[in-house]
Amino acid sequence: MATKPGKITVVGSGFYGSTTALRLAQYDVVGTVVLTDILEGRPEGLALDINQSRSIEGFETEVVGVGGGSYEGTEGSDVVVVTAGLPRKPGMSRMDLIETNAGIVREVAENVARTSPDAVVIVVSNPLDEMTALAQLATGFPTQRVMGQAGMLDTARFTDNVARELGVPTSSVRTLTLGSHGDTMVPVPSRCTVDGRPLSEVLDADRIAHLVDRTRNGGAEVVALLRTGSAYYAPSAAAARMAKAVIEDAGSVLPVCAWVDGEYGISGVYLGVEAEIGREGVRRVVEGDLTDDELAGLREAAEAVRAKQADVADL
């Protein structure tokens, strides 16, 4: 029996989805986490495995597995995390997945709208910015209740890159990444600090440029090393933290893919920005100081994803 209120559904029981479900269960912030998949048996088996770890790890959240493409048991979810879709393989870009994953995400979104009409939806399927836009169109939800996970992941990768370069704890590093989850990603060096000092004071410009480039290619680097599948530990951590911020009505300011309507001189597009997250999803987009080059990059990213987001309406 659920010991506290609240339900989060994770759609897709692959490595990403199952790890997200595990993290959410261990947070112990809701009574139930539902893990769904088109496969029979896999989500049920994973749920049983996670539940059997509760006494060891000291959490009470119950994980429920639902296979066969059913949404029974997901009804009335407070948050739905959409991980369903094909992962990248070596040599593939995120955009190579657009047509296949569009069909999957549209079907998921329509089911979510039917079973959990008041949910906040967090999309993680690639290509991220386009799939977030498609999920909003397919659910018909207000834009603030549909957001995408990318900025937190890309920022975490930037942080790790800087920490490793300097040999310092990650806790001493603050970074930020905006823009798209792809080629027009915009790492923001001007907002980065190490022990409170600007990044430009502790690293040469060429090393910063190298770390920016490595951050942009962070996902491809993991895919190339794994050879089969793509990253899921860091991405699931980011998605779970976003869901937790919604459930706790935290008001946390996080880098996410959110609907931008006038901020930074950009309107009418889903884009990686900082946003205040609460029970209703995105409370507001938070504008921060950017250099002229960074602002130009963000606007370039907006135009790059705008065209693709317009296309997904027909997919």
Side-chain angles (χ1 to χ4, degrees):
M1 292 289 293
T3 58
K4 59 185 67 176
K7 181 191 295 185
I8 301 174
T9 289
V10 180
V11 182
S13 67
F15 289 130
Y16 196 145
S18 60
T19 309
T20 302
L22 172 62
R23 293 186 189 279
L24 288 167
Q26 289 179 325
Y27 285 156
D28 218 12
V29 294
V30 291
T32 308
V33 171
V34 184
L35 183 62
T36 73
D37 203 291
I38 59 171
L39 298 175
E40 291 274 9
R42 179 177 171 85
E44 294 92 337
L46 290 167
L48 179 60
D49 192 14
I50 293 171
N51 287 331
Q52 289 171 352
S53 75
R54 290 188 292 178
S55 63
I56 301 171
E57 289 297 319
F59 64 92
E60 294 295 339
T61 294
E62 181 182 11
V63 180
V64 177
V66 180
S70 173
Y71 284 76
E72 185 177 353
T74 70
E75 296 90 348
S77 293
D78 300 285
V79 181
V80 178
V81 182
V82 181
T83 76
L86 297 181
R88 281 198 288 172
K89 296 178 181 179
M92 292 179 70
S93 73
R94 294 180 179 93
M95 292 307 300
D96 291 333
L97 302 170
I98 190 167
E99 289 193 15
T100 300
N101 283 354
I104 296 170
V105 170
R106 178 178 286 280
E107 181 178 357
V108 169
E110 290 171 349
N111 278 300
V112 170
R114 175 176 57 84
T115 56
S116 298
D118 298 318
V120 171
V121 178
I122 299 171
V123 180
V124 300
S125 308
N126 276 317
L128 187 281
D129 306 279
E130 289 75 16
M131 293 303 100
T132 303
L134 176 58
Q136 190 277 322
L137 288 170
T139 57
F141 288 179
T143 53
Q144 69 266 22
R145 283 206 282 123
V146 181
M147 55 184 160
Q149 188 290 110
M152 285 193 69
L153 169 62
D154 297 326
T155 295
R157 286 173 171 162
F158 197 7
T159 296
D160 189 63
N161 290 339
V162 171
R164 288 179 178 276
E165 176 80 9
L166 293 171
V168 299
T170 55
S171 59
S172 68
V173 179
R174 296 288 182 269
T175 70
L176 179 64
T177 304
L178 305 176
S180 75
H181 189 49
D183 294 339
T184 52
M185 188 184 301
V186 186
V188 185
S190 72
R191 299 277 298 280
C192 302
T193 61
V194 180
D195 285 322
R197 298 175 60 195
L199 186 60
S200 59
E201 291 185 7
V202 295
L203 274 179
D204 293 337
D206 62 333
R207 294 310 299 167
I208 294 175
H210 166 73
L211 297 178
V212 164
D213 188 58
R214 189 178 183 192
T215 299
R216 284 199 183 100
N217 294 297
E221 184 178 0
V222 174
V223 169
L225 289 167
L226 291 177
R227 299 186 182 179
T228 56
S230 56
Y232 56 91
Y233 286 126
S236 68
R241 283 287 174 178
M242 289 171 63
K244 184 172 183 279
V246 173
I247 289 294
E248 295 183 333
D249 199 22
S252 305
V253 176
L254 306 173
V256 302
C257 179
W259 184 254
V260 180
D261 192 19
E263 296 85 4
Y264 297 109
I266 300 167
S267 293
V269 68
Y270 270 100
L271 189 66
V273 290
E274 290 180 286
E276 183 180 319
I277 306 301
R279 193 71 187 210
E280 63 273 37
V282 174
R283 290 180 182 173
R284 64 186 181 97
V285 171
V286 178
E287 288 186 80
D289 293 332
L290 302 177
T291 67
D292 290 345
D293 285 346
E294 290 162 352
L295 179 58
L298 189 62
R299 289 175 175 169
E300 179 184 346
E303 294 313 308
V305 300
R306 187 190 306 278
K308 291 294 184 182
Q309 287 180 13
D311 292 343
V312 299
D314 299 321
L315 294 178

